[in-house]
Amino acid sequence: MVSATNFHSEFQRRAHAAVVEVQSAICAAVEALEREGGGSGEFIADAWDRVGGGGGLTRVIRGDVIEKGGVNTSAVFGELNPQFATQLAGTGANFFATGVSLVLHPKSPYLPTVHANFRYIEQGERRWFGGGADLTPYYYFAEDKQHFHDVWRRFCDDHPGIGDYPRFSDWCDRYFYLKHRGESRGVGGIFFDHLFVDASVPGHDEALLAFIRDGGLRFLDAYLPIARRHLHTPYGPAERRWQELRRGRYVEFNLLYDRGTVFGLKTGGRTESILMSLPPHVQWGYAEEPAPGTPEAALLAELRRPFPGDEPNP
């Protein structure tokens, strides 16, 4: 359970308070979306302790609009495995990390899955922020992609000197890419990591903290209008099966490539909370391809656009 004794500085406490604020705002808005869609789903709260230090609050919903979703916060600290410590951006084995991470898997195939996270990490003498948000549709609508990106572009523009939409958007495209499939996981958004605190610049840590707090709250502007646009679109078993096949790609990415999953497991995080991101119903076919000219084929054309190279260096 996260308590005042988990924090070794006032800044750590306020960073955690920011992610808890974001968690509360998003959970309230998602419950309101459930009611708009005629559902009654509510988040359940599950507080947990980490053996090595700290803990978190997992909030999970199983509803009629959101088939499975989670909005999690944590504040963890202690000693890293020495081998894993060398893979991170800081120095030494002592660390502190706090963040909010969410994944929403709607029931309707016309509502896209969405992921976001915003985090603050200390390792030795280095302190940095990371995060982002990305959209994974099952049916492609150009206006949804445009809206999602417009919100994150404005967000970056509102934080000059920190936000960099062209770089963060490109980073997102490169990060959420299934190399073994030759497909993007979705239609992008923003992704950033290793935004280091510059101790020589007064107030730089405060500006970075304001950036991730604002990003967490802007998530609602980015996603809710898209969800509402398709909330009452009818669908049948064929669309549902397509959604479950595409969810298989989501599982593949999270288990093969996702850094957050690796970080959580390597630092002794709570497995149930870490793997909350996986969808409740999923299928894997065998070399299944949609018929040309179908809406399903249009999605694959978007996700399989030629894409060069690997993820850029931070």
Side-chain angles (χ1 to χ4, degrees):
M1 186 75 172
V2 180
S3 68
T5 59
N6 293 138
F7 307 113
H8 297 102
S9 71
E10 176 63 13
F11 192 83
Q12 288 181 358
R13 186 196 66 78
R14 290 195 300 107
H16 181 249
V19 301
V20 168
E21 176 189 4
V22 168
Q23 180 188 46
S24 296
I26 291 174
C27 288
V30 170
E31 288 180 343
L33 181 69
E34 273 284 319
R35 294 191 290 273
E36 288 179 45
S40 58
E42 295 182 346
F43 282 91
I44 61 169
D46 184 13
W48 53 273
D49 295 314
R50 175 179 173 272
V51 173
L57 180 64
T58 296
R59 298 188 67 181
V60 175
I61 188 169
R62 298 294 296 265
D64 299 296
V65 174
I66 303 301
E67 187 171 26
K68 181 186 177 188
V71 187
N72 302 340
T73 57
S74 62
V76 296
F77 61 92
E79 293 271 330
L80 294 166
N81 175 287
Q83 183 178 4
F84 181 59
T86 63
Q87 301 173 31
L88 301 181
T91 59
N94 290 322
F95 84 101
F96 170 85
T98 187
V100 56
S101 179
L102 71 93
V103 177
L104 302 177
H105 290 291
K107 183 175 289 187
S108 168
Y110 289 103
L111 272 66
T113 285
V114 67
H115 158 261
N117 74 86
F118 298 91
R119 58 192 178 274
Y120 169 65
I121 299 175
E122 299 178 4
Q123 184 193 3
E125 300 301 314
R126 304 199 82 177
R127 304 161 60 198
W128 69 93
F129 292 83
D134 65 285
L135 195 69
T136 304
Y138 304 102
Y139 287 90
Y140 177 64
F141 298 95
E143 61 270 27
D144 292 350
K145 178 180 177 179
Q146 185 68 48
H147 170 82
F148 196 74
H149 280 265
D150 284 348
V151 169
W152 296 116
R153 183 183 294 107
R154 291 193 298 270
F155 161 66
C156 288
D157 290 347
D158 288 345
H159 294 266
I162 298 175
D164 186 343
Y165 171 78
R167 178 174 179 247
F168 293 171
S169 178
D170 179 69
W171 200 341
C172 185
D173 288 342
R174 293 176 184 273
Y175 179 72
F176 292 105
Y177 188 72
L178 289 86
K179 298 175 185 177
H180 64 289
R181 295 284 191 181
E183 295 176 2
S184 297
R185 188 174 83 170
V187 295
I190 60 170
F191 180 83
F192 55 91
D193 201 3
H194 302 152
L195 299 185
F196 292 104
V197 173
D198 187 344
S200 69
V201 179
H204 190 233
D205 55 355
E206 298 292 343
L208 288 170
L209 177 56
F211 180 65
I212 66 158
R213 175 186 175 275
D214 188 24
L217 296 175
R218 295 269 188 125
F219 165 80
L220 297 173
D221 297 333
Y223 184 67
L224 290 183
I226 295 171
R228 291 189 177 109
R229 185 179 294 148
H230 306 292
L231 196 56
H232 300 291
T233 302
Y235 62 90
E239 292 83 6
R240 178 69 170 171
R241 184 173 188 276
W242 173 248
Q243 177 197 47
E244 292 180 357
L245 286 169
R246 295 306 306 172
R247 281 176 170 178
R249 303 293 205 263
Y250 204 92
V251 172
E252 289 174 21
F253 180 88
N254 277 29
L255 296 183
L256 291 174
Y257 301 121
D258 187 66
R259 289 180 182 172
T261 301
V262 172
F263 182 86
L265 295 175
K266 291 285 189 179
T267 56
R270 184 168 181 262
T271 301
E272 196 69 20
S273 298
I274 296 164
L275 298 183
M276 170 280 306
S277 63
L278 302 181
H281 300 285
V282 61
Q283 295 188 40
W284 280 271
Y286 181 77
E288 294 194 32
E289 290 287 323
T294 61
E296 293 79 7
L299 174 72
L300 293 188
E302 173 66 18
L303 300 183
R304 290 174 178 172
R305 287 181 294 110
F307 186 78
D310 294 324
E311 176 188 347
N313 293 323

